[in-house]
Amino acid sequence: YGQNSPYHGMPEGHLPVRSYLAAPVISRSGEVLGGLFFGHPEVGIFSERAERIVSAIAVQAGIAIDKAKLYRAAQGEIARRQQIESRLREGEQTLERRVAERTAQWIAESQERQRAEGNFRLLVEGVVDYAIYMLDPTGIITSWNAGGERIKGYRSDEVVGEHYSRFFTPEDRNR
């Protein structure tokens, strides 16, 4: 320290440093991460060997800091992926639950429809005073009851799968 104000020498309470050795701590990318600083009250205390040792320690410190940053980044990526996997599992479970619920609902609806169709079929087949038959959208006969047999004179196996126009005369069909 010089003789300048306000101290005119060593500041009060300050460690007396007359020898100084510093080495930068640098990452592999070239970024300066910090430095290692050594001071000693005796003049000329640091040798060329001490300088090589401190420089080697600074290189190792840079490597250690880089590894710590990589480790922290890897841990962050692992946590992020675990969170994504957890959300995917939750989504899969929700989807599986919805599929199971919808399948159960569909089965119940299907069973109810089969019961209703069975009851309807029994009702239609029991009617003998009226011809009751069902057509698909193209006019093909898909069902035929006993009343149809009695009134029209055709058995079910003769008309089911045929077009309903067979009940009309050629003139009626042309009209």
Side-chain angles (χ1 to χ4, degrees):
Y1 292 94
Q3 299 302 314
N4 301 333
S5 13
Y7 300 109
H8 301 288
M10 182 72 65
E12 187 178 322
H14 199 278
L15 296 175
V17 176
R18 301 191 65 206
S19 290
Y20 184 76
L21 176 62
V25 177
I26 301 173
S27 73
R28 288 177 299 164
S29 67
E31 175 189 6
V32 177
L33 302 172
L36 298 179
F37 304 94
F38 297 89
H40 198 275
E42 294 178 27
V43 175
I45 197 71
F46 297 111
S47 65
E48 203 174 297
R49 180 175 182 270
E51 190 176 320
R52 282 193 309 271
I53 291 171
V54 169
S55 292
I57 292 171
V59 168
Q60 292 300 315
I63 291 169
I65 291 170
D66 280 344
K67 284 183 176 183
K69 286 180 177 181
L70 286 172
Y71 178 78
R72 186 178 335 148
Q75 292 303 106
E77 181 63 18
I78 288 169
R80 186 183 73 81
R81 288 178 185 223
Q82 286 173 337
Q83 189 177 37
I84 289 169
E85 288 173 3
S86 175
R87 286 193 299 240
L88 282 173
R89 275 191 300 278
E90 289 171 7
E92 288 171 356
Q93 290 168 351
T94 299
L95 182 59
E96 287 174 2
R97 188 180 69 254
R98 287 181 182 170
V99 166
E101 289 169 358
R102 183 62 185 119
T103 300
Q105 181 183 8
W106 180 82
I107 289 170
E109 289 171 358
S110 176
Q111 290 170 340
E112 180 59 31
R113 188 171 33 257
Q114 287 173 351
R115 276 192 295 278
E117 287 173 1
N119 291 341
F120 178 73
R121 186 171 289 116
L122 287 173
L123 174 69
V124 169
E125 289 172 359
V127 174
V128 293
D129 295 334
Y130 298 95
I132 301 175
Y133 53 93
M134 191 175 346
L135 305 175
D136 74 5
T138 65
I140 302 296
I141 300 167
T142 59
S143 72
W144 188 258
N145 77 336
E149 241 180 78
R150 191 177 71 72
I151 293 169
K152 291 288 194 179
Y154 295 101
R155 291 187 326 268
S156 177
D157 61 342
E158 292 177 298
V159 292
V160 171
E162 297 292 322
H163 197 270
Y164 80 100
S165 63
R166 77 177 294 165
F167 301 128
F168 303 103
T169 64
E171 297 84 32
D172 287 338
R173 281 187 286 221
N174 287 336
R175 269 185 286 171

